[in-house]
Protein backbone atom coordinates (compact mmCIF):
# COMPACT_ATOMS: atom_id res chain seq x y z
CA UNK A 1 0.00 0.00 0.00
CA UNK A 2 1.45 3.43 -0.98
CA UNK A 3 1.67 6.44 1.33
CA UNK A 4 -1.59 7.95 0.07
CA UNK A 5 -3.52 4.78 0.88
CA UNK A 6 -1.96 4.60 4.33
CA UNK A 7 -2.98 8.19 5.08
CA UNK A 8 -6.47 7.50 3.70
CA UNK A 9 -6.81 4.38 5.85
CA UNK A 10 -5.85 6.26 9.00
CA UNK A 11 -8.31 9.07 8.29
CA UNK A 12 -11.06 6.60 7.44
CA UNK A 13 -10.48 4.53 10.58
CA UNK A 14 -10.67 7.65 12.70
CA UNK A 15 -13.81 8.82 10.93
CA UNK A 16 -15.65 5.51 11.21
CA UNK A 17 -14.70 5.06 14.87
CA UNK A 18 -15.44 8.57 16.14
CA UNK A 19 -17.41 10.60 13.61
CA UNK A 20 -21.00 10.82 12.53
CA UNK A 21 -22.19 9.37 9.25
CA UNK A 22 -22.50 12.84 7.68
CA UNK A 23 -18.97 13.96 8.64
CA UNK A 24 -17.56 10.60 7.51
CA UNK A 25 -18.99 11.05 4.02
CA UNK A 26 -17.65 14.61 3.79
CA UNK A 27 -14.15 13.52 4.75
CA UNK A 28 -14.14 10.65 2.27
CA UNK A 29 -15.34 12.91 -0.55
CA UNK A 30 -12.50 15.31 0.26
CA UNK A 31 -9.94 12.48 0.00
CA UNK A 32 -11.28 11.56 -3.43
CA UNK A 33 -11.23 15.19 -4.66
CA UNK A 34 -7.64 15.69 -3.51
CA UNK A 35 -6.62 12.62 -5.49
CA UNK A 36 -5.42 10.56 -2.54
CA UNK A 37 -7.54 7.57 -3.58
CA UNK A 38 -10.33 6.70 -5.97
CA UNK A 39 -13.91 5.75 -5.02
CA UNK A 40 -13.30 2.00 -5.37
CA UNK A 41 -10.34 2.14 -3.00
CA UNK A 42 -12.36 4.22 -0.50
CA UNK A 43 -15.12 1.59 -0.45
CA UNK A 44 -12.56 -1.16 0.15
CA UNK A 45 -10.84 0.76 2.98
CA UNK A 46 -14.18 1.63 4.60
CA UNK A 47 -15.23 -2.03 4.65
CA UNK A 48 -11.93 -3.16 6.19
CA UNK A 49 -11.86 -0.46 8.88
CA UNK A 50 -15.50 -1.01 9.86
CA UNK A 51 -14.76 -4.71 10.38
CA UNK A 52 -11.74 -3.85 12.53
CA UNK A 53 -13.72 -1.44 14.67
CA UNK A 54 -16.46 -4.05 15.15
CA UNK A 55 -13.96 -6.69 16.28
CA UNK A 56 -12.16 -4.42 18.74
CA UNK A 57 -15.16 -2.65 20.29
CA UNK A 58 -16.35 -4.20 23.57
CA UNK A 59 -20.04 -4.04 24.48
CA UNK A 60 -20.53 -3.56 28.22
CA UNK A 61 -23.81 -3.84 30.14
CA UNK A 62 -24.67 -3.02 33.74
CA UNK A 63 -28.00 -4.32 34.99
CA UNK A 64 -29.78 -3.72 38.28
CA UNK A 65 -32.98 -5.66 38.90
CA UNK A 66 -35.25 -6.36 41.84
CA UNK A 67 -37.23 -9.41 42.88
CA UNK A 68 -40.01 -9.35 45.48
CA UNK A 69 -41.93 -12.59 45.96
CA UNK A 70 -44.75 -13.11 48.47
CA UNK A 71 -46.63 -16.36 48.96
CA UNK A 72 -49.72 -16.94 51.10
CA UNK A 73 -50.16 -20.62 51.98
CA UNK A 74 -52.92 -22.61 53.60
CA UNK A 75 -51.68 -26.02 54.77
CA UNK A 76 -53.76 -28.91 55.99
CA UNK A 77 -51.74 -31.82 54.70
CA UNK A 78 -48.73 -30.26 52.97
CA UNK A 79 -45.63 -32.36 53.65
CA UNK A 80 -47.42 -34.44 56.28
CA UNK A 81 -50.79 -36.16 56.42
CA UNK A 82 -53.25 -34.63 58.93
CA UNK A 83 -54.91 -36.50 61.78
CA UNK A 84 -57.42 -35.75 64.54
CA UNK A 85 -54.88 -33.77 66.57
CA UNK A 86 -53.68 -31.42 63.81
CA UNK A 87 -55.04 -28.01 62.81
CA UNK A 88 -54.60 -26.12 59.53
CA UNK A 89 -51.66 -23.72 59.19
CA UNK A 90 -51.50 -20.39 57.37
CA UNK A 91 -48.66 -17.92 56.79
CA UNK A 92 -47.05 -15.53 54.31
CA UNK A 93 -43.40 -15.82 53.30
CA UNK A 94 -41.36 -13.26 51.38
CA UNK A 95 -38.17 -13.10 49.34
CA UNK A 96 -36.64 -9.68 48.70
CA UNK A 97 -33.67 -9.87 46.32
CA UNK A 98 -31.59 -7.30 44.48
CA UNK A 99 -29.23 -8.31 41.68
CA UNK A 100 -26.24 -6.41 40.32
CA UNK A 101 -24.99 -7.81 37.01
CA UNK A 102 -22.09 -6.68 34.81
CA UNK A 103 -21.33 -8.15 31.38
CA UNK A 104 -18.47 -7.26 29.08
CA UNK A 105 -19.06 -9.38 25.98
CA UNK A 106 -16.62 -12.30 26.14
CA UNK A 107 -14.23 -10.56 28.54
CA UNK A 108 -15.81 -10.54 31.99
CA UNK A 109 -19.10 -11.27 33.75
CA UNK A 110 -19.84 -10.52 37.40
CA UNK A 111 -22.94 -11.00 39.56
CA UNK A 112 -23.65 -9.84 43.10
CA UNK A 113 -27.06 -10.78 44.52
CA UNK A 114 -28.27 -10.29 48.09
CA UNK A 115 -31.62 -11.27 49.55
CA UNK A 116 -33.78 -11.34 52.65
CA UNK A 117 -35.93 -14.46 53.13
CA UNK A 118 -38.46 -14.67 55.93
CA UNK A 119 -41.95 -15.54 57.11
CA UNK A 120 -44.00 -12.49 57.99
CA UNK A 121 -43.78 -11.96 61.74
CA UNK A 122 -40.90 -14.41 62.32
CA UNK A 123 -38.46 -11.62 63.22
CA UNK A 124 -38.84 -9.05 65.96
CA UNK A 125 -39.35 -5.72 64.15
CA UNK A 126 -37.48 -4.03 67.02
CA UNK A 127 -34.70 -6.60 67.08
CA UNK A 128 -31.22 -6.58 65.54
CA UNK A 129 -31.14 -10.14 64.21
CA UNK A 130 -31.28 -9.36 60.49
CA UNK A 131 -31.64 -11.98 57.76
CA UNK A 132 -29.71 -10.48 54.83
CA UNK A 133 -27.74 -13.20 53.02
CA UNK A 134 -25.66 -13.62 49.88
CA UNK A 135 -27.54 -15.51 47.18
CA UNK A 136 -24.96 -15.26 44.40
CA UNK A 137 -21.61 -13.53 44.25
CA UNK A 138 -19.18 -14.52 41.52
CA UNK A 139 -16.79 -13.19 38.92
CA UNK A 140 -16.39 -14.85 35.53
CA UNK A 141 -13.40 -13.87 33.40
CA UNK A 142 -13.21 -15.28 29.86
CA UNK A 143 -10.09 -17.18 28.84
CA UNK A 144 -11.20 -17.30 25.22
CA UNK A 145 -14.34 -16.26 23.34
CA UNK A 146 -16.04 -19.55 24.34
CA UNK A 147 -14.21 -20.53 27.55
CA UNK A 148 -14.72 -18.85 30.93
CA UNK A 149 -14.17 -19.62 34.60
CA UNK A 150 -16.81 -18.67 37.17
CA UNK A 151 -15.53 -18.29 40.74
CA UNK A 152 -17.68 -17.77 43.85
CA UNK A 153 -21.19 -18.42 45.09
CA UNK A 154 -23.40 -19.48 42.18
CA UNK A 155 -26.45 -21.49 41.16
CA UNK A 156 -25.90 -24.90 39.61
CA UNK A 157 -28.98 -25.69 37.51
CA UNK A 158 -28.62 -28.45 34.93
CA UNK A 159 -30.94 -30.19 32.50
CA UNK A 160 -34.47 -30.36 33.97
CA UNK A 161 -33.01 -29.53 37.43
CA UNK A 162 -33.71 -32.98 38.86
CA UNK A 163 -30.15 -33.39 40.15
CA UNK A 164 -28.97 -29.78 40.40
CA UNK A 165 -31.44 -26.91 40.72
CA UNK A 166 -31.83 -23.30 41.70
CA UNK A 167 -34.79 -24.43 43.86
CA UNK A 168 -36.83 -21.37 42.96
CA UNK A 169 -39.86 -22.62 44.91
CA UNK A 170 -37.94 -22.53 48.20
CA UNK A 171 -38.17 -19.08 49.77
CA UNK A 172 -34.38 -18.61 49.89
CA UNK A 173 -33.61 -20.77 46.78
CA UNK A 174 -30.20 -22.49 46.66
CA UNK A 175 -26.61 -21.91 45.55
CA UNK A 176 -23.13 -23.44 45.88
CA UNK A 177 -19.67 -22.04 46.73
CA UNK A 178 -17.66 -23.35 43.79
CA UNK A 179 -15.32 -22.82 40.88
CA UNK A 180 -16.80 -23.54 37.45
CA UNK A 181 -14.95 -23.94 34.15
CA UNK A 182 -17.49 -23.27 31.38
CA UNK A 183 -17.36 -23.82 27.62
CA UNK A 184 -20.13 -22.81 25.24
CA UNK A 185 -20.39 -23.12 21.48
CA UNK A 186 -23.23 -23.36 19.00
CA UNK A 187 -23.89 -27.06 19.61
CA UNK A 188 -21.97 -27.88 22.79
CA UNK A 189 -22.31 -26.59 26.35
CA UNK A 190 -20.17 -28.12 29.08
CA UNK A 191 -19.19 -27.24 32.65
CA UNK A 192 -16.67 -28.63 35.12
CA UNK A 193 -17.38 -27.71 38.75
CA UNK A 194 -15.39 -28.16 41.93
CA UNK A 195 -16.29 -27.25 45.53
CA UNK A 196 -14.71 -27.81 48.94
CA UNK A 197 -16.50 -26.78 52.15
CA UNK A 198 -15.07 -25.89 55.56
CA UNK A 199 -16.60 -24.12 58.56
CA UNK A 200 -13.55 -21.94 59.31
CA UNK A 201 -9.93 -21.16 58.41
CA UNK A 202 -8.39 -24.15 60.18
CA UNK A 203 -4.78 -24.60 61.29
CA UNK A 204 -4.91 -28.42 61.14
CA UNK A 205 -7.25 -30.99 59.64
CA UNK A 206 -10.31 -30.72 57.41
CA UNK A 207 -13.12 -31.51 59.86
CA UNK A 208 -16.37 -30.25 58.34
CA UNK A 209 -18.89 -30.46 61.18
CA UNK A 210 -21.16 -27.38 61.10
CA UNK A 211 -22.19 -26.34 64.61
CA UNK A 212 -23.94 -23.09 63.73
CA UNK A 213 -27.71 -23.29 64.26
CA UNK A 214 -29.89 -22.61 61.25
CA UNK A 215 -33.60 -21.92 60.78
CA UNK A 216 -35.14 -23.35 57.60
CA UNK A 217 -38.54 -23.08 55.99
CA UNK A 218 -39.38 -26.57 57.23
CA UNK A 219 -38.02 -26.13 60.76
CA UNK A 220 -38.80 -22.98 62.76
CA UNK A 221 -36.57 -24.17 65.64
CA UNK A 222 -32.87 -23.47 64.95
CA UNK A 223 -30.93 -26.70 64.48
CA UNK A 224 -27.60 -27.94 63.13
CA UNK A 225 -27.30 -28.77 59.44
CA UNK A 226 -25.22 -30.91 57.11
CA UNK A 227 -23.83 -30.48 53.60
CA UNK A 228 -21.33 -32.15 51.34
CA UNK A 229 -17.65 -31.68 52.15
CA UNK A 230 -16.48 -31.83 48.54
CA UNK A 231 -18.21 -31.83 45.18
CA UNK A 232 -17.10 -32.50 41.60
CA UNK A 233 -19.53 -32.18 38.68
CA UNK A 234 -19.23 -32.48 34.91
CA UNK A 235 -22.18 -31.35 32.80
CA UNK A 236 -22.48 -31.68 29.03
CA UNK A 237 -25.24 -30.81 26.59
CA UNK A 238 -24.81 -31.55 22.89
CA UNK A 239 -27.31 -30.49 20.23
CA UNK A 240 -26.76 -33.22 17.65
CA UNK A 241 -29.26 -31.77 15.19
CA UNK A 242 -32.68 -30.11 15.14
CA UNK A 243 -34.28 -33.28 16.52
CA UNK A 244 -31.88 -34.98 18.96
CA UNK A 245 -30.20 -33.57 22.09
CA UNK A 246 -27.93 -35.42 24.50
CA UNK A 247 -27.30 -34.34 28.09
CA UNK A 248 -24.94 -36.03 30.56
CA UNK A 249 -24.16 -35.35 34.22
CA UNK A 250 -21.37 -36.99 36.19
CA UNK A 251 -21.15 -36.00 39.85
CA UNK A 252 -19.09 -37.02 42.89
CA UNK A 253 -19.92 -35.71 46.36
CA UNK A 254 -18.17 -36.56 49.62
CA UNK A 255 -19.43 -36.70 53.21
CA UNK A 256 -17.07 -37.28 56.10
CA UNK A 257 -17.28 -40.14 58.59
CA UNK A 258 -19.04 -39.34 61.86
CA UNK A 259 -16.07 -40.56 63.93
CA UNK A 260 -12.95 -40.26 61.77
CA UNK A 261 -13.20 -36.69 60.48
CA UNK A 262 -10.50 -37.22 57.85
CA UNK A 263 -12.33 -40.23 56.36
CA UNK A 264 -14.58 -39.22 53.48
CA UNK A 265 -17.22 -41.34 51.77
CA UNK A 266 -17.62 -40.59 48.07
CA UNK A 267 -20.89 -41.10 46.21
CA UNK A 268 -20.87 -41.26 42.39
CA UNK A 269 -23.85 -40.34 40.19
CA UNK A 270 -23.67 -40.70 36.41
CA UNK A 271 -26.01 -40.90 33.46
CA UNK A 272 -27.92 -38.62 31.15
CA UNK A 273 -30.90 -37.74 29.03
CA UNK A 274 -31.72 -38.29 25.38
CA UNK A 275 -34.33 -35.94 23.92
CA UNK A 276 -36.26 -36.17 20.67
CA UNK A 277 -38.35 -33.21 19.56
CA UNK A 278 -40.08 -32.77 16.23
CA UNK A 279 -42.91 -30.37 15.57
CA UNK A 280 -45.54 -30.97 18.27
CA UNK A 281 -44.01 -34.13 19.77
CA UNK A 282 -41.38 -34.46 22.50
CA UNK A 283 -39.98 -37.78 23.77
CA UNK A 284 -37.26 -38.23 26.36
CA UNK A 285 -35.61 -40.81 28.60
CA UNK A 286 -33.54 -39.85 31.62
CA UNK A 287 -31.42 -42.53 33.32
CA UNK A 288 -28.90 -42.30 36.18
CA UNK A 289 -26.94 -44.71 38.34
CA UNK A 290 -25.36 -44.29 41.77
CA UNK A 291 -22.41 -46.13 43.28
CA UNK A 292 -19.71 -45.50 45.88
CA UNK A 293 -20.56 -45.14 49.60
CA UNK A 294 -23.39 -43.52 51.51
CA UNK A 295 -22.87 -41.25 54.54
CA UNK A 296 -22.48 -44.28 56.84
CA UNK A 297 -19.96 -46.00 54.58
CA UNK A 298 -22.27 -48.63 53.07
CA UNK A 299 -21.88 -49.55 49.40
CA UNK A 300 -24.41 -47.93 47.05
CA UNK A 301 -26.05 -49.67 44.11
CA UNK A 302 -29.00 -47.55 42.98
CA UNK A 303 -30.68 -46.28 39.81
CA UNK A 304 -33.18 -43.76 38.45
CA UNK A 305 -35.40 -43.77 35.35
CA UNK A 306 -37.72 -41.16 33.87
CA UNK A 307 -39.45 -41.76 30.52
CA UNK A 308 -41.75 -38.99 29.27
CA UNK A 309 -43.94 -38.23 26.25
CA UNK A 310 -45.33 -34.77 25.53
CA UNK A 311 -47.66 -33.46 22.85
CA UNK A 312 -48.58 -29.83 22.22
CA UNK A 313 -51.60 -29.21 20.02
CA UNK A 314 -52.13 -26.29 17.68
CA UNK A 315 -54.69 -24.80 20.08
CA UNK A 316 -52.02 -24.62 22.83
CA UNK A 317 -53.06 -27.65 24.86
CA UNK A 318 -50.09 -29.62 26.22
CA UNK A 319 -50.43 -33.22 27.38
CA UNK A 320 -47.58 -34.88 29.27
CA UNK A 321 -47.42 -38.53 30.29
CA UNK A 322 -44.48 -40.07 32.13
CA UNK A 323 -43.12 -41.67 35.26
CA UNK A 324 -40.32 -41.28 37.78
CA UNK A 325 -38.79 -44.41 39.25
CA UNK A 326 -36.25 -44.27 42.08
CA UNK A 327 -34.83 -47.56 43.31
CA UNK A 328 -35.06 -48.45 47.00
CA UNK A 329 -35.01 -51.19 49.64
CA UNK A 330 -37.83 -52.91 51.53
CA UNK A 331 -37.77 -50.36 54.33
CA UNK A 332 -34.38 -51.23 55.79
CA UNK A 333 -30.91 -50.78 54.31
CA UNK A 334 -28.93 -54.01 54.28
CA UNK A 335 -25.30 -54.51 53.36
CA UNK A 336 -25.98 -52.70 50.07
CA UNK A 337 -27.84 -49.38 49.88
CA UNK A 338 -30.26 -49.45 46.91
CA UNK A 339 -31.85 -46.04 47.57
CA UNK A 340 -31.34 -43.51 44.79
CA UNK A 341 -30.90 -39.92 46.03
CA UNK A 342 -31.57 -37.13 43.47
CA UNK A 343 -28.68 -35.07 44.88
CA UNK A 344 -29.40 -31.32 45.07
CA UNK A 345 -32.29 -31.04 42.65
CA UNK A 346 -35.85 -29.82 42.96
CA UNK A 347 -38.66 -32.19 43.99
CA UNK A 348 -41.63 -29.82 44.05
CA UNK A 349 -42.21 -29.90 40.29
CA UNK A 350 -41.68 -33.68 39.96
CA UNK A 351 -43.42 -35.54 42.79
CA UNK A 352 -46.46 -33.39 43.44
CA UNK A 353 -47.02 -29.96 44.97
CA UNK A 354 -47.79 -31.43 48.40
CA UNK A 355 -44.07 -32.26 48.72
CA UNK A 356 -44.44 -35.61 50.46
CA UNK A 357 -41.12 -36.75 49.02
CA UNK A 358 -38.35 -34.14 49.24
CA UNK A 359 -35.80 -35.77 51.59
CA UNK A 360 -34.43 -38.92 50.04
CA UNK A 361 -34.49 -41.66 51.20
CA UNK A 362 -35.98 -40.51 54.55
CA UNK A 363 -39.41 -39.51 53.20
CA UNK A 364 -39.71 -42.92 51.52
CA UNK A 365 -38.45 -44.86 54.53
CA UNK A 366 -35.93 -46.64 52.26
CA UNK A 367 -38.60 -48.14 49.99
CA UNK A 368 -38.00 -46.26 46.72
CA UNK A 369 -40.60 -44.53 44.58
CA UNK A 370 -42.66 -45.19 41.45
CA UNK A 371 -44.52 -42.04 40.38
CA UNK A 372 -46.60 -42.25 37.15
CA UNK A 373 -47.92 -38.79 36.23
CA UNK A 374 -50.30 -37.20 33.75
CA UNK A 375 -50.25 -33.42 33.12
CA UNK A 376 -52.59 -31.41 30.94
CA UNK A 377 -52.26 -27.65 30.53
CA UNK A 378 -53.97 -25.01 28.45
CA UNK A 379 -52.50 -21.66 27.44
CA UNK A 380 -55.54 -19.40 27.30
CA UNK A 381 -53.63 -16.40 25.95
CA UNK A 382 -50.27 -14.69 26.39
CA UNK A 383 -51.16 -13.87 30.01
CA UNK A 384 -53.03 -16.90 31.38
CA UNK A 385 -52.25 -20.63 31.72
CA UNK A 386 -54.09 -23.41 33.58
CA UNK A 387 -52.62 -26.81 34.43
CA UNK A 388 -54.03 -30.01 35.94
CA UNK A 389 -51.36 -32.39 37.27
CA UNK A 390 -52.07 -35.93 38.44
CA UNK A 391 -49.78 -38.32 40.35
CA UNK A 392 -49.97 -41.92 41.49
CA UNK A 393 -47.49 -43.02 44.15
CA UNK A 394 -46.12 -46.51 44.73
CA UNK A 395 -43.11 -47.83 46.59
CA UNK A 396 -40.47 -49.36 44.34
CA UNK A 397 -39.92 -52.23 46.81
CA UNK A 398 -42.55 -53.75 49.08
CA UNK A 399 -42.32 -52.05 52.47
CA UNK A 400 -41.91 -54.41 55.43
CA UNK A 401 -42.89 -53.06 58.87
CA UNK A 402 -41.09 -53.68 62.14
CA UNK A 403 -43.74 -56.33 62.87
CA UNK A 404 -42.65 -58.12 59.67
CA UNK A 405 -45.84 -57.18 57.80
CA UNK A 406 -45.55 -56.53 54.08
CA UNK A 407 -47.62 -53.53 52.97
CA UNK A 408 -49.18 -52.93 49.57
CA UNK A 409 -47.04 -50.79 47.27
CA UNK A 410 -49.79 -48.25 46.53
CA UNK A 411 -49.29 -45.05 48.59
CA UNK A 412 -51.95 -42.77 47.15
CA UNK A 413 -53.12 -40.26 44.56
CA UNK A 414 -52.55 -36.51 44.29
CA UNK A 415 -54.10 -33.83 42.11
CA UNK A 416 -52.61 -30.34 41.67
CA UNK A 417 -54.48 -27.50 39.99
CA UNK A 418 -52.24 -24.55 39.00
CA UNK A 419 -53.18 -21.18 37.49
CA UNK A 420 -50.60 -18.67 36.29
CA UNK A 421 -51.44 -15.10 35.26
CA UNK A 422 -48.85 -12.63 33.93
CA UNK A 423 -50.38 -9.16 33.44
CA UNK A 424 -47.07 -7.67 32.29
CA UNK A 425 -43.41 -8.55 31.75
CA UNK A 426 -42.37 -8.17 35.40
CA UNK A 427 -45.40 -9.52 37.32
CA UNK A 428 -46.46 -13.16 37.77
CA UNK A 429 -49.44 -14.25 39.86
CA UNK A 430 -49.73 -17.95 40.68
CA UNK A 431 -52.44 -19.85 42.48
CA UNK A 432 -52.63 -23.52 43.29
CA UNK A 433 -54.84 -26.05 45.02
CA UNK A 434 -53.83 -29.63 45.85
CA UNK A 435 -55.68 -32.60 47.27
CA UNK A 436 -54.51 -36.16 48.00
CA UNK A 437 -56.00 -39.55 48.78
CA UNK A 438 -53.40 -41.32 50.96
CA UNK A 439 -53.29 -45.03 51.73
CA UNK A 440 -52.24 -46.79 54.94
CA UNK A 441 -48.90 -47.52 53.29
CA UNK A 442 -48.17 -43.79 52.99
CA UNK A 443 -49.03 -43.07 56.64
CA UNK A 444 -46.86 -46.01 57.70
CA UNK A 445 -43.93 -44.80 55.63
CA UNK A 446 -44.34 -41.18 56.75
CA UNK A 447 -44.89 -42.37 60.35
CA UNK A 448 -47.67 -39.84 60.80
CA UNK A 449 -51.24 -38.99 59.80
CA UNK A 450 -54.60 -40.65 59.32
CA UNK A 451 -55.26 -42.29 55.94
CA UNK A 452 -58.99 -41.59 56.32
CA UNK A 453 -58.42 -37.83 56.19
CA UNK A 454 -58.00 -35.88 52.96
CA UNK A 455 -54.93 -33.61 52.83
CA UNK A 456 -55.42 -30.21 51.18
CA UNK A 457 -53.20 -27.26 50.40
CA UNK A 458 -53.66 -23.93 48.63
CA UNK A 459 -51.50 -20.92 47.86
CA UNK A 460 -51.44 -17.57 46.12
CA UNK A 461 -48.08 -16.14 45.06
CA UNK A 462 -47.21 -12.75 43.60
CA UNK A 463 -43.75 -12.25 42.11
CA UNK A 464 -42.38 -8.93 40.86
CA UNK A 465 -39.14 -8.82 38.82
CA UNK A 466 -38.73 -5.25 37.50
CA UNK A 467 -35.51 -4.00 35.92
CA UNK A 468 -34.51 -0.84 37.81
CA UNK A 469 -31.51 0.18 35.72
CA UNK A 470 -30.05 -1.06 32.44
CA UNK A 471 -27.08 0.69 30.87
CA UNK A 472 -25.05 -0.35 27.83
CA UNK A 473 -21.83 1.45 27.01
Amino acid sequence: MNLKKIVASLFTLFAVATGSAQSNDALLELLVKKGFVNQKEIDSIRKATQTEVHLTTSHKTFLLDLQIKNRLEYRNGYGNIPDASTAPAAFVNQRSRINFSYQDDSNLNAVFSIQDARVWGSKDPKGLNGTIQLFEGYIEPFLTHSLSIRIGRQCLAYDNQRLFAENEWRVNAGAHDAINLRFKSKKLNTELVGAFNQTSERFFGTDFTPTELSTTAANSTPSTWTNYKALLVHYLKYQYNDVFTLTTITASDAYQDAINKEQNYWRFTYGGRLEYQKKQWYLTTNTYFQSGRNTTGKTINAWYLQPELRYTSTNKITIKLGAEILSGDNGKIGAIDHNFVPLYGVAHRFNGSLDYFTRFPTDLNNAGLVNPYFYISKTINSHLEISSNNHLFYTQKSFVTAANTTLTKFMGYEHDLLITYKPNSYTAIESGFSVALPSNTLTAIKKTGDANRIPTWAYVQVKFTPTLFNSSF
Side-chain angles (χ1 to χ4, degrees), residues 38-62:
N38 57 41
Q39 187 62 47
K40 183 177 180 181
E41 289 170 329
I42 281 292
D43 293 339
S44 176
I45 293 171
R46 177 192 281 141
K47 182 178 180 181
T49 52
Q50 284 179 334
T51 302
E52 183 177 349
V53 169
H54 175 73
L55 292 175
T56 57
T57 301
S58 178
H59 181 74
K60 302 177 179 66
T61 302
F62 178 74

Side-chain angles (χ1 to χ4, degrees), residues 150-203:
R150 182 175 293 183
I151 307 170
R153 189 162 185 82
Q154 57 192 277
C155 290
L156 298 179
Y158 299 135
D159 191 30
N160 61 357
Q161 301 196 33
R162 193 59 180 108
L163 297 185
F164 290 91
E166 181 183 347
N167 284 294
E168 169 63 22
W169 174 258
R170 202 164 60 202
V171 64
N172 62 332
H176 302 255
D177 300 316
I179 182 170
N180 187 350
L181 185 66
R182 302 158 59 89
F183 176 84
K184 185 175 182 179
S185 65
K186 185 177 180 180
K187 286 192 171 185
L188 176 66
N189 291 350
T190 184
E191 299 183 19
L192 182 62
V193 181
F196 180 69
N197 291 328
Q198 292 286 278
T199 56
S200 64
E201 297 179 352
R202 295 187 171 276
F203 289 102

Side-chain angles (χ1 to χ4, degrees), residues 186-189 237-246:
K186 185 177 180 180
K187 286 192 171 185
L188 176 66
N189 291 350
K237 182 176 182 179
Y238 180 68
Q239 183 77 40
Y240 181 75
N241 53 34
D242 294 337
V243 176
F244 287 102
T245 303
L246 173 67

